[in-house]
Amino acid sequence: QVQLVESGGGVVQPGRSLRLSCAASGFTFTNYGMHWVRQAPGKGLEWVAMIWEDGSNEYFADSVKGRFTISRDDAKNTVYLQMNSLRAEDTAIYFCARDFSDVLMVLDLWGQGTLVTVSS
Amino acid sequence: EIVLTQSPATLSLSPGDRATLSCRASQSIRTYLAWYQQRPGQAPRLLIYDASNRATGIPARFSGSGSGTDFTLTISSLEPEDFAVYYCQQRINWPPLTFGGGTKVEIK
């Protein structure tokens, strides 16, 4: 079925790195841009990053710019979020989401999320 | 960056009641507003895009309206599964995409 499944979360020390993965299935992955959105414990949603369907452009929130990168492997139907120099304030559930093909920058399909905890 | 302010923070209602949620933008976003529902422990789900268009599979009791800076999500008659947190999101000016702080609809 049509779904997104995140993985790669866990507990990591401040300053270390972590790579999240999001595996897509049930749809033509190469037709869609992909986003990462995070939610700190008990808080609201914060957009993190987006990559175009052809990988030609990437965009980041100021809070992660220069520390996080986003990439995609179309052969594996997977989008990645490489997180470097992690801080306590990066602790959150990280969701991947699909960009609605009819309407740019609307997120029409979400994964269940993966929890990242940054703590010493 | 466009700031979205949602009100009220919490809405206490009973099943069958009508719910009216508000989202106000710091500047005009025309009709480039989406609404999402997040049930406890679940991922967000797209309800409405471009202010008034229901996403695929969304029941007709959900409706959106507004333009410019003031928007409303209305749930005509609350079902038990509608008690959740609702977020608005703008897409006219990005990056970044921005979300409102959310409105929790709780059982009275």
Side-chain angles (χ1 to χ4, degrees):
Chain A
Q1 71 270 33
V2 176
Q3 64 177 0
L4 300 169
V5 178
E6 302 93 336
S7 61
V11 180
V12 61
Q13 292 178 330
R16 303 298 291 263
S17 298
L18 204 60
R19 188 178 81 158
L20 305 182
S21 301
C22 169
S25 59
F27 62 95
T28 304
F29 183 67
T30 53
N31 287 350
Y32 293 88
M34 298 296 296
H35 299 258
W36 288 94
V37 176
R38 69 185 180 183
Q39 186 170 37
K43 301 298 184 182
L45 301 173
E46 180 189 14
W47 176 81
V48 173
M50 186 268 185
I51 186 166
W52 249 200
E53 63 270 20
D54 61 1
S56 60
N57 283 292
E58 303 152 14
Y59 305 95
F60 297 93
D62 286 347
S63 58
V64 306
K65 200 172 295 182
R67 300 188 298 124
F68 290 13
T69 60
I70 187 172
S71 61
R72 59 190 298 154
D73 184 337
D74 292 342
K76 296 182 178 180
N77 287 351
T78 299
V79 61
Y80 302 99
L81 185 69
Q82 177 67 44
M83 305 185 295
N84 300 329
S85 303
L86 282 161
R87 306 167 180 168
E89 55 265 35
D90 295 319
T91 293
I93 297 172
Y94 284 74
F95 298 100
C96 69
R98 186 178 75 175
D99 198 72
F100 189 13
S101 62
D102 293 349
V103 180
L104 282 177
M105 302 301 155
V106 169
L107 284 57
D108 75 332
L109 177 69
W110 296 65
Q112 284 303 302
T114 187
L115 177 62
V116 173
T117 303
V118 183
S119 173
S120 54
Chain B
E1 175 177 318
I2 294 176
V3 176
L4 300 176
T5 303
Q6 292 187 242
S7 62
T10 303
L11 201 50
S12 299
L13 296 169
S14 301
D17 285 349
R18 181 183 187 88
T20 303
L21 288 66
S22 174
C23 178
R24 177 164 288 176
S26 58
Q27 63 189 75
S28 176
I29 58 171
R30 295 165 62 181
T31 57
Y32 294 134
L33 188 91
W35 290 95
Y36 300 86
Q37 176 195 66
Q38 188 177 31
R39 295 170 177 153
Q42 295 189 17
R45 174 175 72 142
L46 176 66
L47 297 176
I48 301 284
Y49 64 93
D50 286 356
S52 61
N53 297 287
R54 271 191 304 276
T56 301
I58 300 304
R61 64 181 182 274
F62 291 93
S63 63
S65 63
S67 65
T69 61
D70 291 302
F71 300 86
T72 300
L73 174 69
T74 301
I75 311 170
S76 59
S77 178
L78 283 164
E79 297 288 340
E81 62 267 28
D82 299 337
F83 290 91
V85 180
Y86 294 82
Y87 294 96
C88 55
Q89 174 240 317
Q90 65 82 23
R91 69 176 190 95
I92 195 172
N93 188 352
W94 55 268
L97 298 184
T98 53
F99 293 88
T103 291
K104 181 180 181 180
V105 179
E106 66 175 21
I107 299 176
K108 185 174 182 180

